[in-house]
Amino acid sequence: MRRYGYYIFDMDNTLVDSRKGYEEAFIAAFEEFGMPYDPALYNEYIRTPLSMTFSKYCPGSPNSYKDFVSAISAVYERTCLNGVRLFPDAERCLGRLSGAGCALGIVSNSYMAQIMEILERLRVDGMFSSVVGRDRVAFAKPDPEPVLLCMSEMGASAGGSMITGDSVNDVLAGKRAGISSALINRYGEDILCDECDFFIRSLDEL
């Protein structure tokens, strides 16, 4: 794989194992809205836009999608640090890229306060030239807006940049922004992604 000067990462399930906190929030919200929660589908829940999850598992609900988002956010504000850790390959990868002089950025569909709280807890907040959360843009991934904002703040060129994430939405956002992309599949799942440039099992492969 060629070397890039600018590396943009998704956060959850890519750099950071945040399952415990998210799962507590999902379980609470699903229960509140009468939706069945299946632990085996966690990766689907975390990768799928909440609007699609709500439409799929709570059709015809008298409650609003905004209420569902508020329920998840209210719990996640309290649980986001529960069990959170850097994946070992993420720690190695960030250290190598930073040591080689590459610029690093994060584009996440999580909110800025939660992103920064996690990065500070893990003591890696100073490694990133740009961090773009959901509340910094009008449109989240797969729209290219957050990727383009991150690139602008990093001073990155399209030809010298790559985005890595665990969701097809990360890949699509990168493609629409005109940059290379890698889809990380940590758990050997059956994920189809014709749009990605690289398909990896570990960040060590970067």
Side-chain angles (χ1 to χ4, degrees):
M1 187 182 300
R2 58 163 287 198
R3 175 61 57 88
Y4 294 83
Y6 304 89
Y7 288 84
I8 300 171
F9 295 92
D10 172 53
M11 188 175 75
D12 299 300
N13 232 27
T14 300
L15 294 177
V16 173
D17 182 355
S18 51
R19 174 167 182 154
K20 182 173 175 57
Y22 265 115
E23 193 155 46
E24 290 178 30
F26 281 131
I27 289 171
F30 275 46
E31 181 178 356
E32 180 178 338
F33 285 79
M35 300 159 58
Y37 180 84
D38 183 350
L41 297 179
Y42 171 78
N43 286 331
E44 174 189 320
Y45 301 145
I46 199 68
R47 294 186 183 119
T48 304
L50 289 178
S51 57
M52 294 177 62
T53 298
F54 185 73
S55 297
K56 180 177 180 179
Y57 294 102
C58 202
S61 171
N63 301 293
S64 72
Y65 162 64
K66 288 185 178 179
D67 292 333
F68 179 62
V69 173
S70 295
I72 290 179
S73 297
V75 177
Y76 190 62
E77 285 180 9
R78 304 191 302 270
T79 64
C80 65
L81 296 180
N82 290 356
V84 69
R85 67 183 183 98
L86 275 178
F87 287 109
D89 62 323
E91 187 171 6
R92 292 190 297 269
C93 177
L94 294 177
R96 285 197 303 268
L97 294 178
S98 179
C102 301
L104 308 176
I106 286 179
V107 171
S108 171
N109 282 351
S110 295
Y111 290 92
M112 286 297 298
Q114 294 157 353
I115 296 170
M116 296 311 301
E117 190 171 12
I118 288 172
L119 296 180
E120 289 167 8
R121 166 65 67 89
L122 299 175
R123 299 181 180 179
V124 293
D125 49 306
M127 298 185 73
F128 299 97
S129 302
S130 172
V131 177
V132 179
R134 176 66 185 86
D135 43 338
R136 292 196 62 200
V137 291
F139 301 100
K141 296 176 295 186
D143 193 276
E145 182 187 0
V147 176
L148 292 171
L149 175 57
C150 185
M151 291 172 61
S152 176
E153 292 181 346
M154 295 169 73
S157 63
S161 303
M162 165 186 271
I163 185 170
T164 301
D166 70 309
S167 167
V168 174
N169 286 334
D170 300 309
V171 171
L172 291 176
K175 183 175 183 179
R176 292 166 183 172
I179 68 174
S180 298
S181 63
L183 182 71
I184 184 168
N185 183 0
R186 293 187 175 280
Y187 308 109
E189 299 167 277
D190 186 16
I191 303 175
L192 297 177
C193 185
D194 294 333
E195 293 87 354
C196 65
D197 297 296
F198 305 100
F199 194 78
I200 62 177
R201 293 291 298 273
S202 167
L203 294 180
D204 289 325
E205 296 177 50
L206 296 183

PDB file of all heavy atoms in Angstrom, residues 117-138:
ATOM      1  N   GLU A 117     -13.985  14.016  24.660  1.00  0.00           N
ATOM      2  CA  GLU A 117     -13.882  13.401  25.984  1.00  0.00           C
ATOM      3  C   GLU A 117     -13.175  12.050  25.887  1.00  0.00           C
ATOM      4  O   GLU A 117     -12.326  11.719  26.717  1.00  0.00           O
ATOM      5  CB  GLU A 117     -15.276  13.230  26.590  1.00  0.00           C
ATOM      6  CG  GLU A 117     -15.264  12.834  28.047  1.00  0.00           C
ATOM      7  CD  GLU A 117     -16.631  12.884  28.686  1.00  0.00           C
ATOM      8  OE1 GLU A 117     -17.636  13.002  27.953  1.00  0.00           O
ATOM      9  OE2 GLU A 117     -16.698  12.787  29.926  1.00  0.00           O
ATOM     10  N   ILE A 118     -13.507  11.289  24.857  1.00  0.00           N
ATOM     11  CA  ILE A 118     -12.872   9.986  24.657  1.00  0.00           C
ATOM     12  C   ILE A 118     -11.402  10.143  24.294  1.00  0.00           C
ATOM     13  O   ILE A 118     -10.523   9.476  24.859  1.00  0.00           O
ATOM     14  CB  ILE A 118     -13.613   9.189  23.568  1.00  0.00           C
ATOM     15  CG1 ILE A 118     -14.969   8.722  24.105  1.00  0.00           C
ATOM     16  CG2 ILE A 118     -12.789   7.990  23.101  1.00  0.00           C
ATOM     17  CD1 ILE A 118     -15.870   8.101  23.055  1.00  0.00           C
ATOM     18  N   LEU A 119     -11.102  11.030  23.347  1.00  0.00           N
ATOM     19  CA  LEU A 119      -9.711  11.223  22.931  1.00  0.00           C
ATOM     20  C   LEU A 119      -8.846  11.713  24.088  1.00  0.00           C
ATOM     21  O   LEU A 119      -7.682  11.308  24.230  1.00  0.00           O
ATOM     22  CB  LEU A 119      -9.635  12.201  21.758  1.00  0.00           C
ATOM     23  CG  LEU A 119     -10.299  11.761  20.453  1.00  0.00           C
ATOM     24  CD1 LEU A 119     -10.126  12.838  19.385  1.00  0.00           C
ATOM     25  CD2 LEU A 119      -9.738  10.427  19.960  1.00  0.00           C
ATOM     26  N   GLU A 120      -9.400  12.597  24.914  1.00  0.00           N
ATOM     27  CA  GLU A 120      -8.652  13.087  26.070  1.00  0.00           C
ATOM     28  C   GLU A 120      -8.428  11.969  27.077  1.00  0.00           C
ATOM     29  O   GLU A 120      -7.338  11.859  27.667  1.00  0.00           O
ATOM     30  CB  GLU A 120      -9.401  14.265  26.700  1.00  0.00           C
ATOM     31  CG  GLU A 120      -9.348  15.529  25.848  1.00  0.00           C
ATOM     32  CD  GLU A 120     -10.329  16.589  26.308  1.00  0.00           C
ATOM     33  OE1 GLU A 120     -10.952  16.415  27.382  1.00  0.00           O
ATOM     34  OE2 GLU A 120     -10.502  17.597  25.585  1.00  0.00           O
ATOM     35  N   ARG A 121      -9.447  11.144  27.309  1.00  0.00           N
ATOM     36  CA  ARG A 121      -9.291  10.027  28.239  1.00  0.00           C
ATOM     37  C   ARG A 121      -8.179   9.084  27.766  1.00  0.00           C
ATOM     38  O   ARG A 121      -7.407   8.557  28.567  1.00  0.00           O
ATOM     39  CB  ARG A 121     -10.620   9.274  28.352  1.00  0.00           C
ATOM     40  CG  ARG A 121     -10.539   7.895  29.010  1.00  0.00           C
ATOM     41  CD  ARG A 121     -10.130   7.965  30.482  1.00  0.00           C
ATOM     42  NE  ARG A 121     -11.127   8.595  31.306  1.00  0.00           N
ATOM     43  CZ  ARG A 121     -12.134   7.946  31.897  1.00  0.00           C
ATOM     44  NH1 ARG A 121     -12.256   6.636  31.742  1.00  0.00           N
ATOM     45  NH2 ARG A 121     -12.996   8.597  32.642  1.00  0.00           N
ATOM     46  N   LEU A 122      -8.096   8.891  26.448  1.00  0.00           N
ATOM     47  CA  LEU A 122      -7.103   7.986  25.882  1.00  0.00           C
ATOM     48  C   LEU A 122      -5.755   8.666  25.637  1.00  0.00           C
ATOM     49  O   LEU A 122      -4.811   8.033  25.173  1.00  0.00           O
ATOM     50  CB  LEU A 122      -7.629   7.392  24.575  1.00  0.00           C
ATOM     51  CG  LEU A 122      -8.915   6.566  24.705  1.00  0.00           C
ATOM     52  CD1 LEU A 122      -9.407   6.124  23.334  1.00  0.00           C
ATOM     53  CD2 LEU A 122      -8.688   5.361  25.599  1.00  0.00           C
ATOM     54  N   ARG A 123      -5.697   9.970  25.900  1.00  0.00           N
ATOM     55  CA  ARG A 123      -4.472  10.762  25.785  1.00  0.00           C
ATOM     56  C   ARG A 123      -3.907  10.780  24.366  1.00  0.00           C
ATOM     57  O   ARG A 123      -2.684  10.720  24.164  1.00  0.00           O
ATOM     58  CB  ARG A 123      -3.411  10.255  26.771  1.00  0.00           C
ATOM     59  CG  ARG A 123      -3.859  10.347  28.221  1.00  0.00           C
ATOM     60  CD  ARG A 123      -2.793   9.854  29.167  1.00  0.00           C
ATOM     61  NE  ARG A 123      -3.237   9.950  30.565  1.00  0.00           N
ATOM     62  CZ  ARG A 123      -2.521   9.581  31.618  1.00  0.00           C
ATOM     63  NH1 ARG A 123      -1.304   9.085  31.427  1.00  0.00           N
ATOM     64  NH2 ARG A 123      -3.010   9.683  32.832  1.00  0.00           N
ATOM     65  N   VAL A 124      -4.813  10.872  23.397  1.00  0.00           N
ATOM     66  CA  VAL A 124      -4.372  10.970  22.000  1.00  0.00           C
ATOM     67  C   VAL A 124      -4.958  12.200  21.311  1.00  0.00           C
ATOM     68  O   VAL A 124      -4.796  12.365  20.094  1.00  0.00           O
ATOM     69  CB  VAL A 124      -4.757   9.700  21.201  1.00  0.00           C
ATOM     70  CG1 VAL A 124      -3.988   8.491  21.706  1.00  0.00           C
ATOM     71  CG2 VAL A 124      -6.257   9.450  21.238  1.00  0.00           C
ATOM     72  N   ASP A 125      -5.618  13.068  22.063  1.00  0.00           N
ATOM     73  CA  ASP A 125      -6.271  14.228  21.449  1.00  0.00           C
ATOM     74  C   ASP A 125      -5.272  15.139  20.747  1.00  0.00           C
ATOM     75  O   ASP A 125      -5.605  15.769  19.741  1.00  0.00           O
ATOM     76  CB  ASP A 125      -7.059  15.021  22.496  1.00  0.00           C
ATOM     77  CG  ASP A 125      -6.253  15.331  23.750  1.00  0.00           C
ATOM     78  OD1 ASP A 125      -5.701  14.397  24.352  1.00  0.00           O
ATOM     79  OD2 ASP A 125      -6.184  16.525  24.124  1.00  0.00           O
ATOM     80  N   GLY A 126      -4.043  15.194  21.232  1.00  0.00           N
ATOM     81  CA  GLY A 126      -3.049  16.069  20.614  1.00  0.00           C
ATOM     82  C   GLY A 126      -2.451  15.530  19.329  1.00  0.00           C
ATOM     83  O   GLY A 126      -1.668  16.230  18.662  1.00  0.00           O
ATOM     84  N   MET A 127      -2.821  14.311  18.936  1.00  0.00           N
ATOM     85  CA  MET A 127      -2.243  13.707  17.736  1.00  0.00           C
ATOM     86  C   MET A 127      -2.950  14.137  16.453  1.00  0.00           C
ATOM     87  O   MET A 127      -2.423  13.915  15.363  1.00  0.00           O
ATOM     88  CB  MET A 127      -2.292  12.176  17.831  1.00  0.00           C
ATOM     89  CG  MET A 127      -1.496  11.594  18.974  1.00  0.00           C
ATOM     90  SD  MET A 127      -1.466   9.776  18.957  1.00  0.00           S
ATOM     91  CE  MET A 127      -0.343   9.490  17.569  1.00  0.00           C
ATOM     92  N   PHE A 128      -4.138  14.764  16.583  1.00  0.00           N
ATOM     93  CA  PHE A 128      -4.965  15.008  15.406  1.00  0.00           C
ATOM     94  C   PHE A 128      -5.009  16.490  15.028  1.00  0.00           C
ATOM     95  O   PHE A 128      -5.278  17.355  15.858  1.00  0.00           O
ATOM     96  CB  PHE A 128      -6.387  14.479  15.658  1.00  0.00           C
ATOM     97  CG  PHE A 128      -6.402  12.998  15.914  1.00  0.00           C
ATOM     98  CD1 PHE A 128      -6.417  12.509  17.216  1.00  0.00           C
ATOM     99  CD2 PHE A 128      -6.358  12.098  14.868  1.00  0.00           C
ATOM    100  CE1 PHE A 128      -6.406  11.144  17.467  1.00  0.00           C
ATOM    101  CE2 PHE A 128      -6.345  10.731  15.108  1.00  0.00           C
ATOM    102  CZ  PHE A 128      -6.369  10.251  16.407  1.00  0.00           C
ATOM    103  N   SER A 129      -4.737  16.739  13.734  1.00  0.00           N
ATOM    104  CA  SER A 129      -4.752  18.110  13.228  1.00  0.00           C
ATOM    105  C   SER A 129      -6.168  18.634  13.066  1.00  0.00           C
ATOM    106  O   SER A 129      -6.394  19.843  13.081  1.00  0.00           O
ATOM    107  CB  SER A 129      -4.041  18.168  11.871  1.00  0.00           C
ATOM    108  OG  SER A 129      -2.718  17.706  11.962  1.00  0.00           O
ATOM    109  N   SER A 130      -7.118  17.733  12.883  1.00  0.00           N
ATOM    110  CA  SER A 130      -8.523  18.123  12.723  1.00  0.00           C
ATOM    111  C   SER A 130      -9.413  17.019  13.266  1.00  0.00           C
ATOM    112  O   SER A 130      -9.147  15.835  13.060  1.00  0.00           O
ATOM    113  CB  SER A 130      -8.849  18.362  11.238  1.00  0.00           C
ATOM    114  OG  SER A 130     -10.251  18.565  11.055  1.00  0.00           O
ATOM    115  N   VAL A 131     -10.460  17.415  13.964  1.00  0.00           N
ATOM    116  CA  VAL A 131     -11.481  16.482  14.444  1.00  0.00           C
ATOM    117  C   VAL A 131     -12.837  17.059  14.058  1.00  0.00           C
ATOM    118  O   VAL A 131     -13.174  18.183  14.446  1.00  0.00           O
ATOM    119  CB  VAL A 131     -11.407  16.287  15.969  1.00  0.00           C
ATOM    120  CG1 VAL A 131     -12.533  15.360  16.436  1.00  0.00           C
ATOM    121  CG2 VAL A 131     -10.052  15.732  16.382  1.00  0.00           C
ATOM    122  N   VAL A 132     -13.586  16.300  13.279  1.00  0.00           N
ATOM    123  CA  VAL A 132     -14.878  16.768  12.791  1.00  0.00           C
ATOM    124  C   VAL A 132     -15.970  15.815  13.273  1.00  0.00           C
ATOM    125  O   VAL A 132     -15.994  14.645  12.901  1.00  0.00           O
ATOM    126  CB  VAL A 132     -14.904  16.858  11.250  1.00  0.00           C
ATOM    127  CG1 VAL A 132     -16.283  17.323  10.771  1.00  0.00           C
ATOM    128  CG2 VAL A 132     -13.824  17.810  10.753  1.00  0.00           C
ATOM    129  N   GLY A 133     -16.850  16.328  14.117  1.00  0.00           N
ATOM    130  CA  GLY A 133     -17.986  15.559  14.604  1.00  0.00           C
ATOM    131  C   GLY A 133     -19.265  15.961  13.902  1.00  0.00           C
ATOM    132  O   GLY A 133     -19.296  16.911  13.106  1.00  0.00           O
ATOM    133  N   ARG A 134     -20.327  15.250  14.231  1.00  0.00           N
ATOM    134  CA  ARG A 134     -21.624  15.454  13.565  1.00  0.00           C
ATOM    135  C   ARG A 134     -22.136  16.877  13.708  1.00  0.00           C
ATOM    136  O   ARG A 134     -22.750  17.420  12.777  1.00  0.00           O
ATOM    137  CB  ARG A 134     -22.648  14.465  14.158  1.00  0.00           C
ATOM    138  CG  ARG A 134     -24.071  14.642  13.622  1.00  0.00           C
ATOM    139  CD  ARG A 134     -24.138  14.289  12.144  1.00  0.00           C
ATOM    140  NE  ARG A 134     -25.430  14.535  11.556  1.00  0.00           N
ATOM    141  CZ  ARG A 134     -25.839  15.697  11.052  1.00  0.00           C
ATOM    142  NH1 ARG A 134     -25.024  16.751  11.107  1.00  0.00           N
ATOM    143  NH2 ARG A 134     -27.019  15.840  10.504  1.00  0.00           N
ATOM    144  N   ASP A 135     -21.876  17.493  14.843  1.00  0.00           N
ATOM    145  CA  ASP A 135     -22.424  18.828  15.090  1.00  0.00           C
ATOM    146  C   ASP A 135     -21.598  19.958  14.481  1.00  0.00           C
ATOM    147  O   ASP A 135     -21.935  21.128  14.651  1.00  0.00           O
ATOM    148  CB  ASP A 135     -22.618  19.065  16.593  1.00  0.00           C
ATOM    149  CG  ASP A 135     -21.461  18.582  17.446  1.00  0.00           C
ATOM    150  OD1 ASP A 135     -20.695  17.713  17.003  1.00  0.00           O
ATOM    151  OD2 ASP A 135     -21.315  19.082  18.574  1.00  0.00           O
ATOM    152  N   ARG A 136     -20.557  19.617  13.746  1.00  0.00           N
ATOM    153  CA  ARG A 136     -19.778  20.654  13.058  1.00  0.00           C
ATOM    154  C   ARG A 136     -20.191  20.833  11.610  1.00  0.00           C
ATOM    155  O   ARG A 136     -19.683  21.748  10.938  1.00  0.00           O
ATOM    156  CB  ARG A 136     -18.276  20.319  13.108  1.00  0.00           C
ATOM    157  CG  ARG A 136     -17.650  20.389  14.495  1.00  0.00           C
ATOM    158  CD  ARG A 136     -16.136  20.444  14.388  1.00  0.00           C
ATOM    159  NE  ARG A 136     -15.704  21.645  13.673  1.00  0.00           N
ATOM    160  CZ  ARG A 136     -14.514  21.795  13.101  1.00  0.00           C
ATOM    161  NH1 ARG A 136     -13.640  20.784  13.142  1.00  0.00           N
ATOM    162  NH2 ARG A 136     -14.206  22.896  12.471  1.00  0.00           N
ATOM    163  N   VAL A 137     -21.064  19.986  11.120  1.00  0.00           N
ATOM    164  CA  VAL A 137     -21.447  20.034   9.703  1.00  0.00           C
ATOM    165  C   VAL A 137     -22.960  19.932   9.556  1.00  0.00           C
ATOM    166  O   VAL A 137     -23.669  19.492  10.464  1.00  0.00           O
ATOM    167  CB  VAL A 137     -20.776  18.879   8.909  1.00  0.00           C
ATOM    168  CG1 VAL A 137     -19.278  19.092   8.809  1.00  0.00           C
ATOM    169  CG2 VAL A 137     -21.088  17.535   9.541  1.00  0.00           C
ATOM    170  N   ALA A 138     -23.436  20.323   8.379  1.00  0.00           N
ATOM    171  CA  ALA A 138     -24.869  20.203   8.096  1.00  0.00           C
ATOM    172  C   ALA A 138     -25.240  18.777   7.740  1.00  0.00           C
ATOM    173  O   ALA A 138     -26.354  18.319   8.031  1.00  0.00           O
ATOM    174  CB  ALA A 138     -25.255  21.156   6.961  1.00  0.00           C
TER     175      ALA A 138
END
